[in-house]
């Protein structure tokens, strides 16, 4: 009976995927093949209140819904809209909280370029409240031609604060023993487990990047509003204010409702102008590239760095991560492509596996060896492993607020034996081999020899990191050792230290790549980011169970749809391979 219910569930899941998923994919493909006409007079509405990511999801199925918008989509779409005669203006809806500083910098630069084309921009806020780097949100609003606030809304841009949890006393109380090694004293990612307060180095590093980010945001906002940065800082820090007070103090340009902001832009656009959602306009683009023309490859990398390939369970969920096999393969494909003359690697990563980072860095080295410059464009952060993969690039371009560096490593374990024993749980280990074999057992702390061996291993990884930075940045090893130590720098600070070549955004990186490759004029940007096709995503979605795959195959036969049958053939083959079978024929025998 149990097996019958399991099989029935698989059959039901298979039928639902076939009857709902296949039509969904076919509809999406059909929609993607057409371009929605843009009104002759259009005002785009860009809503930044949803979740912001740096890059679009790699699975096409993860794009369904209205959950998030990608910064790279924003900057590329605004670049196109600058020269589109149908687009007459832009309305930006600001979030109520903070924005990641690097992403805010990129959007600010895109808005300024759009305004430079002569098209009006209004940013509208329904309130700015403490939470995250709210200065960055205000900075984006200041970059528009006009900054509006809803009547009675609150403007609370009074500074920048951060909080960290420290768990040492909790661990001491419940018998949890954290055992971690850090290289070096500024590598503070695990301080939350080891201490009950900031160490002097932790506090110093945190205040350093916060001061740099805060100052950069204020300076940019002051420049865009044509006022003195110190005066703006004094006024903002004396808040909070309501919208009417903010207008009186010239912190904003107008108090009004969203509807009124829309009407103002439509009036400027002319008769019969229409509001168009930014997503719809962005989705209507069809890129065409002349065969054989010179191009610059764009390869995007966002999230923690992991070894292997993206074999995620659900293609419907956007779970950004960098997989070393996928990213290295993409760089190698760009290296082999004759039309590609340079590569821009867009990085937004807090780090991850050192071995995965080294695999990606090796692909960067190989591209350079073939005469193809690799320019890294950093978004909100490119730290630890994120900087490792960038360290030997031909050039590095970062935003002033990009959190970068963190040249250091950490690792270790929790010894939970005492904590579990308090709940009547005993952990015992059996092992054979050398004394280091059981080092990472759950129950016991490291022995002295194990701790020493682990420490030597951490030293070796740290030394490897320093070596790559010294070689890639052409810095003396002793200088790298001095500025590394696990410390996080902002892009502006990193530029002064020689860890970054230039301050700017994505299109500055493209210009740098063009110069290094000796290209002039307009150059095609060829996106070569690892991406799933809709069919591949559907195959992954259909890998529910062997029973459901068989059901789908039968349904395809019943419906007599050759396209569905071909898709299902591929799904069945993939399923058989995943179960260890060797598929000799291109079409499995039913």
């Amino acid at each position: 009976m149990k097996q019958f219910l399991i099989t029935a569930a698989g059959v039901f899941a298979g039928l639902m995927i076939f009857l709902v998923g296949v039509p969904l994919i076919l509809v999406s493909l059909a929609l993607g093949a057409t371009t929605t006409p843009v009104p002759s007079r259009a005002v785009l509405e860009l809503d930044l209140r949803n979740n912001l990511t740096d890059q679009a999801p790699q699975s096409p199925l993860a794009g369904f819904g209205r959950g998030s918008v990608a910064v790279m989509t924003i900057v590329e779409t605004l670049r196109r809209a600058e020269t589109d005669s149908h687009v007459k203006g832009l309305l930006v809806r600001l979030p109520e909280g903070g924005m990641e500083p690097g992403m805010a910098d990129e959007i600010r630069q895109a808005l300024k370029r759009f305004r430079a084309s002569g098209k009006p921009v209004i940013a509208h806020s329904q309130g700015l409240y403490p939470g995250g780097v709210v200065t960055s949100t205000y900075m984006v609003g200041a970059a528009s031609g006009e900054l509006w606030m809803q009547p009675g809304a609150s403007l609370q841009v009074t500074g920048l604060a951060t909080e960290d949890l420290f768990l040492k006393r909790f661990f001491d109380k419940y018998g949890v023993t954290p055992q971690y090694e850090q290289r070096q004293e500024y590598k503070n990612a695990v301080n939350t487990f080891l201490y009950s307060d900031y160490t002097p180095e932790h506090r110093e590093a945190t205040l350093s990047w916060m001061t740099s980010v805060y100052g950069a945001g204020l300076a940019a906002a002051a420049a865009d509003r044509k006022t003195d940065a110190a005066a703006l800082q004094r006024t903002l820090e004396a808040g909070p204010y309501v919208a009417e007070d903010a207008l009186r103090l010239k912190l904003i340009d107008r108090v009004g409702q969203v509807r009124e902001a829309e009407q103002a832009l439509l009036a400027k656009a002319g008769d019969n102008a229409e509001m168009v959602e930014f997503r719809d306009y962005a989705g209507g683009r069809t890129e065409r590239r002349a065969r054989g023309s010179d191009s610059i490859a764009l390869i995007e990398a966002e999230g923690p760095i992991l070894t292997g390939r993206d074999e995620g369970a659900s293609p419907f969920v956007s779970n950004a991560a960098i997989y070393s096999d996928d990213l290295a393969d993409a760089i190698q494909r760009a290296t082999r492509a004759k039309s590609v003359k340079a590569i821009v690697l867009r990085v937004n990563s807090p780090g991850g596996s050192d071995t995965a980072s080294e695999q990606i860095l090796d692909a960067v080295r190989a591209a350079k060896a073939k005469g193809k410059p690799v320019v890294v464009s950093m978004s909100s952060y490119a730290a630890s492993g994120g900087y490792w993969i960038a360290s030997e690039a031909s050039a590095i371009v970062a935003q002033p607020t990009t959190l970068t560096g963190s040249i250091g490593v950490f690792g270790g374990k929790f010894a939970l034996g005492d904590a579990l024993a308090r709940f009547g749980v005993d952990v015992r280990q059996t092992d054979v081999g050398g004394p280091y074999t059981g080092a990472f057992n759950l129950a016991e702390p490291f022995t002295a020899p194990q701790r020493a061996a682990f420490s030597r291993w951490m030293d070796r990884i740290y030394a490897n990191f320093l070596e790559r930075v010294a070689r890639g940045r052409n810095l003396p090893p002793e200088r790298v050792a001095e500025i590394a130590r696990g410390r996080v720098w902002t892009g502006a600070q990193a530029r002064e230290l020689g860890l970054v070549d230039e301050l700017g955004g994505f299109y500055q990186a493209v210009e740098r790549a063009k110069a290094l490759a000796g290209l002039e004029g307009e150059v095609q940007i060829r996106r070569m980011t690892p991406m799933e096709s809709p069919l591949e995503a559907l195959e992954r979605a259909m890998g529910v169970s062997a029973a459901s795959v068989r059901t789908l195959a039968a349904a395809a036969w019943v419906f007599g749809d050759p396209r569905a049958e071909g898709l299902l053939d591929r799904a069945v083959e993939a399923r058989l391979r995943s179960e260890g079978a060797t598929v000799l024929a291109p079409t499995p025998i039913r």
Side-chain angles (χ1 to χ4, degrees):
M1 183 64 180
K2 180 179 178 181
Q3 184 58 45
F4 170 78
L5 292 175
I6 294 174
T7 302
V11 169
F12 178 77
L15 284 172
M16 287 302 99
I17 293 172
F18 183 77
L19 295 174
V20 178
V22 172
L24 190 63
I25 290 297
L26 295 176
V27 169
S28 70
L29 289 173
L31 291 176
T34 62
T35 300
T36 303
V38 179
S40 59
R41 297 178 181 274
V43 174
L44 305 183
E45 182 171 352
L46 171 60
D47 195 340
L48 299 178
R49 295 173 300 171
N50 294 322
N51 178 50
L52 270 180
T53 61
D54 185 62
Q55 298 153 29
Q58 295 183 7
S59 169
L61 298 187
F64 291 114
R66 318 294 286 182
S68 65
V69 61
V71 172
M72 287 294 290
T73 301
I74 292 172
V75 299
E76 291 176 297
T77 303
L78 285 180
R79 187 80 159 197
R80 172 167 58 104
E82 292 172 21
T83 56
D84 188 340
S85 60
H86 294 87
V87 176
K88 304 298 183 181
L90 175 68
L91 174 65
V92 181
R93 304 290 302 278
L94 296 176
E96 295 181 355
M99 297 174 63
E100 289 192 17
M103 294 184 185
D105 282 334
E106 193 80 60
I107 294 172
R108 170 183 177 261
Q109 291 157 5
L111 292 179
K112 289 175 69 67
R113 283 193 301 268
F114 184 83
R115 285 183 58 203
S117 69
K119 300 179 181 183
V121 179
I122 292 178
H124 188 276
S125 171
Q126 292 178 285
L128 294 176
Y129 301 93
V133 187
V134 72
T135 313
S136 295
T137 307
Y138 180 74
M139 177 190 72
V140 170
S144 65
E146 298 179 35
L147 175 55
W148 291 39
M149 289 198 79
Q150 183 172 298
S154 178
L155 185 122
Q156 301 185 27
V157 188
T158 57
L160 175 59
T162 185
E163 283 185 321
D164 292 283
L165 289 174
F166 293 94
L167 303 174
K168 183 178 185 302
R169 293 195 303 116
F170 174 83
F171 286 165
D172 289 346
K173 179 177 180 180
Y174 291 100
V176 177
T177 305
Q179 295 203 297
Y180 283 90
E181 294 277 338
Q182 301 160 280
R183 299 293 183 276
Q184 295 285 355
E185 68 272 25
Y186 290 100
K187 193 71 174 179
N188 51 49
V190 292
N191 283 7
T192 185
F193 308 137
L194 304 177
Y195 304 103
S196 57
D197 198 353
Y198 293 104
T199 64
E201 294 82 7
H202 191 171
R203 186 179 296 278
E204 175 193 346
T206 302
L207 285 174
S208 176
W209 71 256
M210 288 178 67
T211 301
S212 181
V213 166
Y214 184 51
L218 287 172
D224 290 338
R225 294 197 61 77
K226 297 179 173 57
T227 187
D228 178 70
L232 177 63
Q233 180 176 349
R234 287 193 298 270
T235 304
L236 286 171
E237 291 181 357
Y241 306 106
V242 294
E244 290 75 10
D245 291 336
L247 178 63
R248 176 176 54 82
L249 294 168
K250 299 182 178 180
L251 297 174
I252 62 173
D253 298 296
R254 185 165 170 177
V255 175
Q257 302 286 354
V258 173
R259 171 184 50 80
E260 295 172 308
E262 291 177 349
Q263 291 172 346
L265 281 167
L266 291 172
K268 292 181 180 180
D271 293 341
N272 301 317
E274 299 178 35
M275 298 297 300
V276 175
E277 284 198 28
F278 195 85
R279 292 171 183 270
D280 294 337
Y281 179 77
R285 181 178 189 180
T286 302
E287 294 189 13
R288 299 186 184 275
R289 185 173 62 87
R291 186 179 298 276
S293 62
D294 290 343
S295 62
I296 292 175
L298 166 60
I299 299 174
E300 297 158 301
E302 182 171 24
I305 302 172
L306 310 170
T307 57
R309 298 190 181 280
D310 184 2
E311 302 289 352
S314 175
F316 297 98
V317 178
S318 178
N319 185 21
I322 300 169
Y323 291 89
S324 58
D325 284 8
D326 293 338
L327 187 55
D329 286 352
I331 297 172
Q332 289 161 12
R333 286 196 302 273
T335 302
R336 292 192 298 267
K338 292 182 179 180
S339 66
V340 171
K341 304 303 179 184
I343 299 169
V344 173
L345 177 59
R346 175 75 172 190
V347 177
N348 191 46
S349 173
S353 162
D354 62 301
T355 53
S357 301
E358 178 64 15
Q359 180 184 356
I360 296 166
L361 179 58
D362 179 68
V364 172
R365 294 190 195 109
K368 291 173 57 184
K370 291 291 185 180
K372 298 196 176 182
V374 180
V375 177
V376 169
S377 169
M378 294 180 171
S379 181
S380 286
Y381 44 93
S384 197
Y387 190 77
W388 187 309
I389 67 177
S391 59
E392 297 186 37
S394 307
I396 300 176
V397 179
Q399 295 289 3
T401 56
T402 300
L403 298 184
T404 187
S406 190
I407 303 167
V409 294
F410 69 87
K413 69 169 185 175
F414 290 102
L416 301 175
D418 187 22
L420 293 174
R422 300 181 186 195
F423 296 93
V425 178
D426 298 310
V427 181
R428 303 288 184 261
Q429 178 176 268
T430 302
D431 61 76
V432 294
Y436 193 71
T437 303
F440 284 88
N441 72 81
L442 182 66
E444 301 297 330
F446 292 120
T447 65
Q450 288 171 345
R451 188 71 182 242
F454 180 65
S455 182
R456 290 193 299 271
W457 177 62
M458 295 291 290
D459 287 337
R460 182 64 254 178
I461 297 174
Y462 182 54
N464 288 342
F465 201 166
L466 297 181
E467 177 187 341
R468 282 144 183 78
V469 175
R471 180 171 61 235
R473 302 304 305 163
N474 195 26
L475 292 170
E478 57 273 14
R479 174 58 176 160
V480 175
E482 178 184 347
I483 62 179
R485 299 161 64 188
R487 184 160 178 167
V488 174
W489 307 98
T490 62
Q493 294 169 328
R495 172 67 181 84
E496 295 300 318
L497 295 169
L499 298 176
V500 164
D501 295 292
E502 183 179 342
L503 297 181
F506 168 65
Y507 283 106
Q508 282 81 3
V510 170
E511 291 301 317
R512 188 65 173 250
K514 285 173 56 180
L516 290 173
L519 301 175
E520 297 180 355
E522 288 294 323
V523 176
Q524 296 286 345
I525 298 175
R526 181 179 174 185
R527 178 173 265 102
M528 300 186 73
T529 302
M531 299 287 287
E532 280 187 324
S533 71
L535 295 182
E536 289 170 335
L538 184 56
E539 285 180 11
R540 185 149 61 94
M542 291 194 303
V544 180
S545 69
S548 62
V549 170
R550 287 193 296 270
T551 301
L552 291 172
W557 179 79
V558 170
F559 292 137
D561 186 342
R563 292 173 300 173
E565 290 187 21
L567 173 62
L568 292 167
D569 287 342
R570 294 175 61 191
V572 173
E573 180 178 342
R575 183 72 189 181
L576 291 173
R577 291 188 189 279
S578 71
E579 294 175 349
T582 300
V583 182
L584 301 178
T587 302
I589 299 173
R590 297 189 187 127

